[in-house]
Amino acid sequence: MEHIYTDLAILGGGVAGMHAYKAALKSGVQPIIIEMGPIGKTSLHCGYIPTQILRKLSLQKTKTKGKNSNMPFLISANDATIHNHNPLQIIKQQSQKFIDNYIKDLYKIPEHNRIIGRAFFTDPHTLEIENTNIKITAKAIIIAVGSVPHIPYFLKNLSDRVITSKQLFEIEQLPKRIAILGTGSIGLEVGQSLSRLGVETIFFGEDSLWHFTDEKIKKSAIASFKKNESAVMNSCITGVNKTENGIKIYYIDESKYEYFVEVDYILCATGRRPNFKNINIESTGIKFNNIGLPDINMFTMQTNIPHIFMAGDVSSANVNQQNAIHQGTVAGVNAALFPETPKRVNYKKIDTILTTPQMAIVGQSYEELKEKAKTKGLRFVIGEGLFKNNYYAQIMDESDGIIHLYFNVADRKFLGAELCGPDISHMAQLLNCSLTNNETIDKLINYRFYYPSTLELITDACKDAYNKLNLLQIDKDGNIDAILLDNEDDDLNLDFLQDDDDKNLDESKPYIREEDFDL
């Protein structure tokens, strides 16, 4: 048996694994990266690359609809696929270019630093490569093996009629009718693109679109989405039967009426799970939380086993491309320097999806802040901006949507935002920069934007929060001492707030309702 000793072994050659490798090299070690296969990142086969190509084709189809419905899909004037009317074929061809570039990058890694094969643990420090005589003992290990789609149990007997996003991009022709099960980023982006391309599409979801936690944002997103798409929210699927030509789905809708719909396929987009299959993760001693995810310090990417780190989709739910790059880099540096004390990096989250409406979460979500309010006494206010009050949104006939910005009462710092509406991706990027720079409302409110633009909603939301903050009298310890009002008829709608978790609040004082102040 060939026994290799190394400072660092990295399982997985996807986005997180490759960035971990590059970061470790810069930190002065010679890591071994093990590409588990199939070669090519998830993002290339079924993630953002084919999804965004599909979106581009669907937008082109929408633009040409009514002018020349026979116009071919265009990628570029010089592209050989310019006369190809099959969008799935175009996606395969275009995605292959990205896959080829990835393979070239992978094979630029020196042979002594690269292994192609499936690795599994035999103990916390030792790996073996399946069907070879190679054993690897590493001082530190990074697990970046990605994730796999989760298929609910009641769908598993429907064989080839239940597909994932990967299988969608492998079929020959677009279906005529499809049901999207799940309203996360993959389900919404892929489903909406299919709908624009003429596929009869129905979405089945719970009480929220995407990962929104702010109730007002949730309601706005659902109402806007339903204007253009067939979506059944809060539904209960009572039966799924395979037919001669597809699948029949029986369900009870929000009104408690039972319906059925027949489709060619169900696209299962109900989330993903860490891809721990066949790596014998049990032999490492890594702990898992109550929802089956690994117990990881998200600031250092270190597990409860000090020399084992994780990064990318394998680390948690809802990891996007930016997070995977960040996590891979942090894990690569800390694993390379092990056993030194790992560096803690507080990453400012930004997550967006390019649907209609666009959606984004920047920094801490409403739910995260509410939890801190309960457990740590955090007090924050919400600044609101409405697209219906924005001139540019009215001119463009895109006045659906709302943004909420969250600010700390004690130090007036910007904490996060949930946003839904047109041009949200640009707005979210700007807010993320503000968050990274630890800016307060006093600075953010003075940003100047070109006129007219939807970016002016940031100013609207800041003014709303600013007015609320100025009604609060804060003591020297940052606690709310009183709320200052000119008269009892103030428009803020006084109410009494009961909060057993916070002993600093005097319950005899009037406080603003929770919709105005999250106290």
Side-chain angles (χ1 to χ4, degrees):
M1 174 154 306
E2 180 184 1
H3 199 155
I4 300 170
Y5 295 87
T6 183
D7 288 327
L8 173 61
I10 302 169
L11 276 73
V15 173
M18 290 292 275
H19 279 83
Y21 175 83
K22 292 172 184 177
L25 274 180
K26 290 180 180 178
S27 299
V29 303
Q30 289 291 320
I32 291 177
I33 186 167
I34 305 165
E35 171 53 81
M36 308 280 280
I39 294 179
K41 302 172 283 188
T42 299
S43 59
L44 298 180
H45 290 288
C46 58
Y48 75 94
I49 292 294
T51 298
Q52 291 309 309
I53 297 173
L54 178 68
R55 176 175 175 268
K56 179 176 181 178
L57 296 175
S58 73
L59 290 173
Q60 288 177 342
K61 180 73 171 180
T62 303
K63 287 176 183 177
T64 60
K65 191 175 182 180
K67 297 178 182 179
N68 183 0
S69 59
N70 294 319
M71 184 176 177
F73 299 104
L74 305 180
I75 295 293
S76 68
N78 298 320
D79 199 296
T81 63
I82 192 167
H83 297 296
N84 192 325
H85 293 247
N86 184 349
L88 290 178
Q89 189 61 35
I90 295 174
I91 292 167
K92 290 173 188 175
Q93 293 171 358
Q94 293 294 311
S95 296
Q96 190 60 48
K97 295 177 183 178
F98 291 96
I99 294 170
D100 291 344
N101 287 335
Y102 167 80
I103 293 172
K104 289 177 184 177
D105 287 342
L106 179 66
Y107 279 90
K108 286 178 184 176
I109 296 174
E111 194 171 342
H112 60 274
N113 292 122
R114 164 178 43 86
I115 294 175
I116 308 296
R118 301 198 65 81
F120 61 93
F121 284 93
T122 56
D123 64 53
H125 278 281
T126 308
L127 297 159
E128 290 188 12
I129 308 300
E130 195 176 74
N131 299 322
T132 73
N133 62 350
I134 298 174
K135 177 187 288 188
I136 301 169
T137 297
K139 185 170 70 175
I141 296 172
I142 297 174
I143 302 175
V145 292
S147 62
V148 292
H150 169 65
I151 308 293
Y153 180 78
F154 72 94
L155 295 178
K156 291 190 175 179
N157 64 339
L158 299 172
S159 62
D160 59 341
R161 289 294 172 176
V162 175
I163 59 175
T164 65
S165 56
K166 182 176 186 297
Q167 291 159 336
L168 171 70
F169 294 121
E170 291 173 347
I171 61 180
E172 292 301 318
Q173 294 285 342
L174 287 177
K176 292 182 179 179
R177 299 164 299 175
I178 194 166
I180 310 294
L181 196 61
T183 51
S185 56
I186 291 293
L188 291 177
E189 287 191 334
V190 170
Q192 194 168 73
S193 294
L194 292 174
S195 178
R196 289 182 183 135
L197 288 168
V199 178
E200 292 181 32
T201 306
I202 182 169
F203 296 81
F204 289 91
E206 297 179 349
D207 63 344
S208 176
L209 288 183
W210 198 44
H211 314 310
F212 284 137
T213 64
D214 189 314
E215 197 62 35
K216 212 166 182 182
I217 305 292
K218 284 183 189 181
K219 290 178 180 178
S220 175
I222 291 172
S224 181
F225 188 79
K226 280 180 143 185
K227 283 187 175 181
N228 298 304
E229 307 298 341
S230 176
V232 185
M233 309 304 293
N234 280 328
S235 58
C236 175
I237 294 177
T238 57
V240 182
N241 296 329
K242 193 170 182 180
T243 66
E244 185 177 345
N245 299 314
I247 293 177
K248 189 173 284 188
I249 304 170
Y250 297 87
Y251 65 94
I252 298 174
D253 72 357
E254 290 179 287
S255 304
K256 306 305 178 186
Y257 286 97
E258 187 169 15
Y259 296 90
F260 74 87
V261 61
E262 190 166 359
V263 295
D264 299 325
Y265 292 100
I266 292 177
L267 175 63
C268 193
T270 52
R272 300 177 69 87
R273 300 290 185 270
N275 187 19
F276 292 130
K277 186 178 180 181
N278 300 326
I279 69 169
N280 195 25
I281 192 74
E282 299 81 7
S283 67
T284 63
I286 292 173
K287 292 181 180 178
F288 293 81
N289 61 24
N290 58 0
I291 59 172
L293 293 173
D295 187 8
I296 301 172
N297 182 328
M298 298 306 290
F299 294 105
T300 65
M301 306 316 300
Q302 193 172 34
T303 68
N304 64 292
I305 306 301
H307 71 278
I308 299 181
F309 299 77
M310 288 193 188
D313 286 353
V314 75
S315 68
S316 63
N318 306 323
V319 175
N320 59 26
Q321 183 85 355
Q322 309 95 288
N323 290 344
I325 291 171
H326 165 76
Q327 291 181 8
T329 302
V330 171
V333 170
N334 286 333
L337 298 177
F338 185 81
E340 293 183 20
T341 302
K343 299 179 184 295
R344 293 174 58 87
V345 180
N346 188 3
Y347 176 67
K348 306 301 183 183
K349 180 179 70 178
I350 175 172
D351 203 356
T352 63
I353 59 170
L354 299 177
T355 49
T356 301
Q358 292 186 8
M359 308 177 201
I361 298 176
V362 178
Q364 297 175 82
S365 69
Y366 178 79
E367 186 176 289
E368 290 169 330
L369 293 173
K370 287 288 283 186
E371 182 62 26
K372 287 186 178 180
K374 292 178 181 178
T375 59
K376 299 181 180 180
L378 171 73
R379 294 294 173 258
F380 66 96
V381 297
I382 300 174
E384 181 175 281
L386 299 173
F387 280 86
K388 69 179 182 180
N389 296 334
N390 178 265
Y391 286 160
Y392 185 75
Q394 293 175 38
I395 292 167
M396 301 304 292
D397 195 24
E398 295 180 332
S399 55
D400 291 334
I402 182 173
I403 71 170
H404 276 179
L405 310 187
Y406 312 122
F407 295 92
N408 193 336
V409 165
D411 60 14
R412 302 169 74 88
K413 282 187 177 178
F414 174 49
L415 300 173
E418 296 195 22
L419 314 99
C420 168
D423 300 330
I424 286 298
S425 56
H426 303 299
M427 203 179 294
Q429 186 62 65
L430 187 148
L431 289 171
N432 183 258
C433 292
S434 301
L435 196 66
T436 301
N437 292 327
N438 293 312
E439 291 180 354
T440 64
I441 191 172
D442 303 282
K443 187 166 184 179
L444 189 52
I445 200 172
N446 286 312
Y447 277 23
R448 290 294 173 262
F449 304 108
Y450 60 89
Y451 175 87
S453 76
T454 53
L455 291 172
E456 294 172 288
L457 264 77
I458 293 175
T459 304
D460 293 348
C462 286
K463 286 180 179 178
D464 185 41
Y466 190 85
N467 290 337
K468 293 170 184 174
L469 285 169
N470 286 344
L471 287 172
L472 302 177
Q473 183 173 298
I474 311 299
D475 66 19
K476 59 183 177 60
D477 297 319
N479 297 316
I480 300 169
D481 186 52
I483 293 178
L484 309 177
L485 297 172
D486 293 333
N487 58 70
E488 293 184 0
D489 296 324
D490 195 282
D491 290 337
L492 291 174
N493 297 322
L494 286 177
D495 201 347
F496 288 92
L497 176 72
Q498 303 295 324
D499 191 343
D500 295 334
D501 293 321
D502 194 330
K503 305 306 179 185
N504 295 322
L505 292 177
D506 183 350
E507 293 180 357
S508 66
K509 295 176 183 176
Y511 289 94
I512 307 303
R513 61 179 182 175
E514 288 193 48
E515 288 89 340
D516 297 312
F517 284 87
D518 277 277
L519 303 176

